[in-house]
Amino acid sequence: MTEIKKETGGAVRIADEVLAKIAGTAALEVEGVAGLAGYFQGDRTPKAVRKQFERGVNVSVVNKTVTLGVAITVRMGAKLHEIGAEVQNRVKTAVETMTGLNVITVNVSVGQIVGIKQRRP
């Protein structure tokens, strides 16, 4: 748990799993990203969603600074360098906006490229 605010009335703490969920959701919003670490956007059961963020996003917090690692699956034909940069930007913005923590690094790993299945007549 990361403590982000402490006052006389109590403290605000955020679990690393919450940071991972924010980062994973932001990454999935990028066009061309098919999923995170073996999880695909069509698998929307609560159990699948919980597991995807455990496997697809790595969180490290030291002194209110966050380092994130995001493993993505990309659709065939996408420009990997552009998608990686967009994932970095969206993840950093989402985590900083929602938590007030300072994100110093977002490492993006492309683990797989998936093709689009073509239907035959």
Side-chain angles (χ1 to χ4, degrees):
M1 286 250 180
T2 302
E3 190 168 291
I4 60 170
K5 189 174 184 181
K6 191 170 185 177
E7 295 183 4
T8 56
V12 176
R13 293 183 184 92
I14 300 176
D16 288 349
E17 293 81 12
V18 172
L19 297 174
K21 177 125 181 152
I22 294 168
T25 301
L28 288 172
E29 292 174 352
V30 175
E31 187 175 335
V33 173
L36 299 175
Y39 164 84
F40 295 94
Q41 289 180 335
D43 302 335
R44 288 287 178 188
T45 64
K47 188 174 185 178
V49 171
R50 191 168 46 251
K51 284 226 173 264
Q52 75 145 335
F53 295 113
E54 291 171 5
R55 292 182 297 166
V57 180
N58 183 12
V59 177
S60 174
V61 182
V62 178
N63 297 329
K64 296 185 183 180
T65 60
V66 182
T67 299
L68 296 159
V70 182
I72 60 174
T73 299
V74 178
R75 297 188 196 288
M76 180 64 79
K79 295 181 180 178
L80 301 179
H81 63 286
E82 290 177 5
I83 289 176
E86 185 63 21
V87 167
Q88 287 175 318
N89 183 43
R90 288 207 191 176
V91 167
K92 177 178 172 55
T93 300
V95 172
E96 288 182 342
T97 300
M98 294 180 75
T99 66
L101 295 170
N102 182 27
V103 176
I104 55 171
T105 306
V106 178
N107 295 311
V108 177
S109 301
V110 178
Q112 187 176 12
I113 297 177
V114 293
I116 300 171
K117 291 184 179 179
Q118 297 179 356
R119 295 184 186 178
R120 294 185 182 214

